[in-house]
Amino acid sequence: MTQNPELRTHQKPIPYGRQYITEDDIQAVVETLQSDYLTQGPKVAQFEEAFAKYVGAKYAVACANGTAALHLCTLALGVGEQSRVITTPITFVASANCVRYCGGTVEFCDIDPATALLDVEKVRQLVESKPKGYYSGIIPVDFAGNPVNLEAFRQLADEHGLWLIEDAAHSPGGSFIDSQGEKQRCGNGRYADLSIFSFHPVKHIATGEGGMVTTNDEALYQKLLLYRTHGITRDPELLEENHGGWYMEMQELGYNYRIPDMLCALGLSQLQRAEAGLARRRGIAKVYDRAFSSVVGIQTLKTTPAAMHEEETGHAYHLYVIRVEDRKGLYDYLREHKILAQVHYIPAHTMPYYRGLGYREGDFPAAEHYYEECLSLPMYPSLTQEEQKFVIEKVIEFVQR
Ligand SMILES: *Cc1c(COP(=O)(O)O)cnc(C)c1O
């Protein structure tokens, strides 16, 4: 059988994202397996401390996954059936679902077509169209790793008494420049009340499953700790009574959203390479940028202007998204060549569940139009130059057919 020489050298499928595990990572997990604690041990606090330092926040709470992190946030903020929370349709559904877990109403709002980020001006119009107190909070998402301008969201939130959860699942290590010219790292707690991260294998730091909440607010921090472990506390200062050394109280209806020590050991080990991984992602993005900039028929997303600091970028590049007219054609063509590009995201409001809550196609034209054209190309630190070259060749070949 004859074989296409290109395919022969690229037998291994190239996914859009994948984890990068080293011998050190494996060793860290093995050591924890041989230690006294598989869960609720010292690795959890070590990972939290190191992660808080990495993003520049006061507090960090590690948990089972990014979705649990979001749920812990809505619990800590007291979201309930009266709450109306604004978020973007161009996100993983968990950004919206965390409101539903608490019985609240999700209010989607459209994106800025240039960046695919939640459009702060459209959010302002929405908020100002209703009396004060109508909305409870906003969940902007650093989509693809491009940080939202949280300062602008904070200002709007303060004017209307809203809270702010930053979904930073795509942007650990990312940053934007605020109006004072200061670099603000995603999740540093300067503008958002709470920020969340995910350690799913396609994300920057992989633990299999895992998540983190960061904040500078001590009261919220205490609530996150409580809700992570069944609403149970043993802290003598928080107890209503105290019957002795064994005594604990379940003060709220919490969950078991804990993360095991093995995974925190893996996270700690991965965190040591986070900056290197980020630099590699930015390098890959530059190569794509250069390759596509002059190709008619390929558009890329604009980086938040505030994130641009001369040559430096604040973009964390979880995804590298291009927009093309025949997206399905390109997706299928790349699959034929074992390039597993992916679509991020099907607008959340068009999911059957959210349609069941009254949303309709046509509600958010920018998001829906974006969805028609978007495709995420392979983007992960271990992507080789040769693989990237192959991806670029195939993309351009298809678009110029
Ligand atoms: C991955 C992701 C989450 C959820 O994280 P899990 O760890 O998979 O639960 C939340 N929000 C966004 C934007 C994500 O990409």
Side-chain angles (χ1 to χ4, degrees):
M1 211 174 83
T2 56
Q3 251 190 331
N4 179 338
E6 271 170 347
L7 280 183
R8 209 184 311 133
T9 52
H10 292 279
Q11 280 302 321
K12 233 176 91 189
I14 307 175
Y16 82 90
R18 64 163 295 152
Q19 73 273 22
Y20 178 41
I21 302 289
T22 65
E23 272 309 313
D24 285 348
D25 291 345
I26 294 167
Q27 208 42 48
V29 174
V30 169
E31 276 167 27
T32 306
L33 282 169
Q34 291 164 335
S35 78
D36 290 338
Y37 291 96
L38 298 188
T39 190
Q40 294 177 281
K43 289 295 168 196
V44 180
Q46 282 173 31
F47 186 34
E48 289 172 338
E49 205 176 304
F51 195 86
K53 202 167 155 212
Y54 180 62
V55 301
K58 266 193 190 160
Y59 307 104
V61 176
C63 58
N65 52 64
T67 306
L70 282 162
H71 190 195
L72 287 173
C73 291
T74 49
L75 287 164
L77 290 163
V79 172
E81 282 174 17
Q82 306 307 314
S83 309
R84 295 185 190 87
V85 178
I86 298 165
T87 192
T88 168
I90 298 299
T91 187
F92 183 56
V93 286
S95 314
N97 294 350
C98 63
V99 176
R100 297 294 304 134
Y101 297 154
C102 294
T105 302
V106 179
E107 300 270 2
F108 291 107
C109 186
D110 214 348
I111 58 166
D112 174 347
T115 60
L117 299 175
L118 182 62
D119 188 329
V120 70
E121 285 314 314
K122 288 174 187 154
V123 174
R124 177 174 287 280
Q125 283 168 19
L126 185 65
V127 170
E128 289 178 353
S129 71
K130 292 286 194 270
K132 265 210 161 113
Y134 186 85
Y135 294 105
S136 314
I138 314 171
I139 308 180
V141 179
D142 298 324
F143 173 71
N146 188 19
V148 293
N149 183 342
L150 278 181
E151 187 182 22
F153 277 100
R154 181 80 262 169
Q155 195 176 343
L156 175 64
D158 284 348
E159 284 168 35
H160 295 270
L162 310 174
W163 49 251
L164 209 55
I165 299 173
E166 174 191 21
D167 184 336
H170 296 184
S171 62
S175 61
F176 73 100
I177 307 291
D178 71 8
S179 61
Q180 304 300 303
E182 278 179 41
K183 188 179 194 168
Q184 302 291 345
R185 273 171 95 79
C186 297
N188 73 356
R190 170 70 180 83
Y191 293 111
D193 296 289
L194 297 156
S195 300
I196 74 98
F197 296 87
S198 161
F199 307 126
H200 183 276
V202 297
K203 308 283 164 70
H204 292 58
I205 295 163
T207 64
E209 299 284 352
M212 191 78 82
V213 186
T214 59
T215 183
N216 286 349
D217 184 316
E218 208 210 324
L220 288 175
Y221 171 64
Q222 294 296 344
K223 285 186 186 167
L224 296 169
L225 292 179
L226 204 61
Y227 284 114
R228 177 176 61 176
T229 303
H230 309 281
I232 288 174
T233 183
R234 295 170 188 278
D235 184 344
E237 288 190 18
L238 301 176
L239 295 174
E240 290 180 16
E241 298 172 32
N242 198 342
H243 305 170
W246 68 88
Y247 193 70
M248 52 83 163
E249 278 172 359
M250 185 195 132
Q251 297 180 333
E252 299 287 346
L253 182 62
Y255 296 78
N256 178 352
Y257 277 167
R258 294 187 302 258
I259 179 171
D261 274 55
M262 293 87 82
L263 300 189
C264 289
L266 180 55
L268 264 169
S269 180
Q270 294 243 320
L271 191 55
Q272 291 174 10
R273 295 198 311 279
E275 279 303 300
L278 195 58
R280 178 73 190 117
R281 285 172 184 273
R282 287 170 174 166
I284 290 169
K286 254 198 186 140
V287 173
Y288 279 138
D289 281 344
R290 278 201 211 105
F292 300 141
S293 64
S294 57
V295 179
V296 178
I298 301 177
Q299 286 178 320
T300 53
L301 292 175
K302 216 173 106 204
T303 299
T304 306
M308 301 292 278
H309 195 238
E310 313 214 342
E311 269 303 273
E312 210 183 323
T313 178
H315 201 309
Y317 288 107
H318 163 56
L319 303 173
Y320 189 90
V321 179
I322 59 169
R323 298 179 64 159
V324 293
E325 204 179 315
D326 183 8
R327 190 270 314 279
K328 185 174 184 303
L330 178 58
Y331 173 91
D332 291 338
Y333 185 74
L334 294 179
R335 288 248 140 186
E336 281 170 30
H337 294 279
K338 295 197 175 168
I339 298 166
L340 312 182
Q342 197 42 279
V343 172
H344 299 95
Y345 288 97
I346 303 164
H349 70 281
T350 66
M351 291 289 172
Y353 173 77
Y354 283 104
R355 274 192 269 141
L357 294 176
Y359 281 104
R360 294 279 171 272
E361 235 171 276
D363 283 349
F364 305 106
E368 290 165 33
H369 184 225
Y370 165 81
Y371 165 61
E372 294 299 318
E373 299 184 337
C374 67
L375 196 63
S376 308
L377 299 181
M379 166 58 82
Y380 48 92
S382 58
L383 182 72
T384 66
Q385 279 184 351
E386 193 198 28
E387 286 170 328
Q388 189 180 12
K389 203 167 149 250
F390 181 66
V391 172
I392 290 168
E393 257 173 47
K394 290 297 152 198
V395 170
I396 295 178
E397 197 172 284
F398 178 81
V399 172
Q400 294 187 337
R401 278 190 319 185

